[in-house]
Amino acid sequence: MSDLRIGLLGVGNIGTVHLQSTRGIEGVDVVAAADAVPGNRKRAERLGVDRTYDDFTDCLQNEDLDAAIVALPPFLHADATVAAAEAGCHVFVEKPFARTVAEGERMLEAADNAGVSIGVDHTIRYQPEVQRLKELYDEGRIGHVPVASISRINNGPFSAPPARQGVSSWQLDPTATGGGALMDLGVHLLDVLEWFFGDLSVEYAHVESGLDLPYEDTATVVVRGAESGTTATLTAGFFQWEEPPNVTGNFRLDGVADSLVSDDYMPKRFVSHAAKSALENLTRRVRGETPHYFKPTYYYQAHYHALSDFCDAVRAGETPPVDGACGLRMVEHVAEAYRQAGVEPAAVEVDR
């Protein structure tokens, strides 16, 4: 396969990030986009997309696409992925992969029947500091790791003050999201832990809603890696303001020989880091060299590399490194954590 013709389904915040990412991937072109919101379609057009649709099914039916990026709200992931697979498209799905295990299984079945691949945007494993910890861990620098901890906390669906935009109604509807902080952020953390320590089993889970939200804003989960024997604690929350590129997250591995902490491999000053990176990119362009896309924003590099790996795998006829089976396992872990916490958020069909 040569150049990839991609349809972008959803041009909200994360869809726009994926659109910008494609600009840095050679041989990839977003030829069409779909979004029910007129302003989002106009954004796609301003960013160079030739054709836009208000319904993703029209986009899939009218365009000759090799792949689709599903960046729609979670309650549309299953329908959009199945439709894309049936149209013969490989599919890159934003997290969470699905709201329920049943939805995820339907998505994988559709892809298998159509002979297409599914990739999932689990990006924390692509953050530079996590990549460096993986290198050191795989080298055996700290030996066996009996315990580990990982956290990710942000402001959830709300804008940091002063609020610049309202909250979409679906973002506060657990039947549309599939859950709260555990589903939204926890899937990322579970993906990292399984990447490091092998198949996970959920040993304990507790969730709380201290902000009077219709779902949990705080979650604590204890898991165990079958291959490593590591016990890891996961914490996810929607209770602290965050403004990228600054992110509130931490990953710590306590081994028998030493400890590794993600903060030790983060830029100490994001502003100066961004300025230096921008200058480096300018110099590379002057020299006719390829710039490091999204390096100035640091956090968004992960989305770029996740999508780039997916595109490389599709062109090579290989399984994406973070595939649909991985995405489904994370949803299964979340479902088990909810069960152990005594919570079963209903995920039902929601009208588009």
Side-chain angles (χ1 to χ4, degrees):
M1 185 180 292
S2 54
D3 288 359
L4 287 180
R5 294 170 54 84
I6 289 183
L8 176 61
L9 312 183
V11 199
N13 292 334
I14 195 61
T16 302
V17 171
H18 293 317
L19 176 55
Q20 292 173 326
S21 293
T22 64
R23 300 300 188 239
I25 305 174
E26 185 176 355
V28 172
D29 186 21
V30 175
V31 298
D35 200 296
V37 180
N40 290 350
R41 296 197 298 273
K42 291 180 180 178
R43 180 191 298 124
E45 292 164 2
R46 287 197 303 270
L47 291 173
V49 179
D50 292 334
R51 294 174 297 283
T52 59
Y53 299 82
D54 61 5
D55 191 297
F56 66 80
T57 57
D58 291 337
C59 179
L60 293 169
Q61 291 172 1
N62 294 321
E63 297 289 337
D64 180 19
L65 303 172
D66 300 305
I69 298 172
V70 175
L72 296 159
F75 68 88
L76 292 173
H77 284 191
D79 287 347
T81 298
V82 170
E86 291 176 345
C89 296
H90 300 280
V91 194
F92 184 75
V93 186
E94 185 51 44
K95 63 80 194 172
F97 179 60
R99 297 176 299 169
T100 66
V101 173
E103 281 189 340
E105 290 174 341
R106 181 162 69 94
M107 295 157 72
L108 291 188
E109 181 180 9
D112 185 59
N113 290 340
V116 299
S117 298
I118 292 182
V120 185
D121 189 31
H122 281 311
T123 51
I124 290 183
R125 70 157 69 188
Y126 281 96
Q127 290 180 198
E129 70 278 9
V130 176
Q131 295 261 317
R132 182 56 179 153
L133 260 61
K134 187 66 161 64
E135 292 173 2
L136 296 172
Y137 173 71
D138 287 347
E139 290 171 4
R141 294 289 187 90
I142 60 174
H144 170 59
V145 177
V147 295
S149 61
I150 190 168
S151 65
R152 182 76 175 88
I153 300 166
N154 64 17
N155 40 284
F158 304 103
S159 295
R164 294 180 297 275
Q165 58 186 22
V167 179
S168 298
S169 59
W170 69 263
Q171 292 179 292
L172 295 176
D173 181 353
T175 63
T177 62
L182 178 56
M183 178 62 87
D184 187 63
L185 301 176
V187 289
H188 274 319
L189 307 182
L190 288 162
D191 172 66
V192 171
L193 293 175
E194 191 159 284
W195 186 40
F196 272 71
F197 306 124
D199 292 343
L200 300 177
S201 60
V202 177
E203 305 294 316
Y204 168 82
H206 176 75
V207 300
E208 293 183 0
S209 182
L211 300 178
D212 196 27
L213 294 173
Y215 41 56
E216 80 283 353
D217 54 55
T218 308
T220 301
V221 181
V222 178
V223 298
R224 185 171 177 81
E227 297 173 17
S228 65
T230 300
T231 298
T233 302
L234 171 162
T235 305
F238 280 167
F239 53 81
Q240 190 175 105
W241 299 119
E242 174 186 82
E243 192 72 20
N246 295 299
V247 295
T248 305
N250 182 268
F251 187 24
R252 180 184 180 96
L253 286 70
D254 289 305
V256 296
D258 202 354
S259 296
L260 291 172
V261 183
S262 59
D263 284 353
D264 292 341
Y265 301 93
M266 297 275 286
K268 301 304 179 185
R269 294 182 177 84
F270 275 109
V271 175
S272 61
H273 172 81
K276 179 181 177 182
S277 299
L279 182 59
E280 288 175 358
N281 277 345
L282 177 60
T283 302
R284 292 179 69 87
R285 287 192 180 93
V286 170
R287 292 176 178 171
E289 301 172 356
T290 301
H292 296 296
Y293 288 93
F294 295 99
K295 188 175 181 182
T297 54
Y298 189 75
Y299 175 71
Y300 293 113
Q301 286 185 85
H303 294 286
Y304 165 78
H305 289 297
L307 181 57
S308 180
D309 273 5
F310 167 78
C311 293
D312 287 347
V314 166
R315 282 185 288 208
E318 299 174 350
T319 301
V322 187
D323 63 3
C326 175
L328 176 57
R329 286 198 307 276
M330 300 312 114
V331 176
E332 290 173 338
H333 294 328
V334 168
E336 174 60 16
Y338 279 138
R339 187 192 70 79
Q340 292 199 24
V343 176
E344 293 195 26
V348 297
E349 291 299 320
V350 179
D351 293 333
R352 289 197 277 124

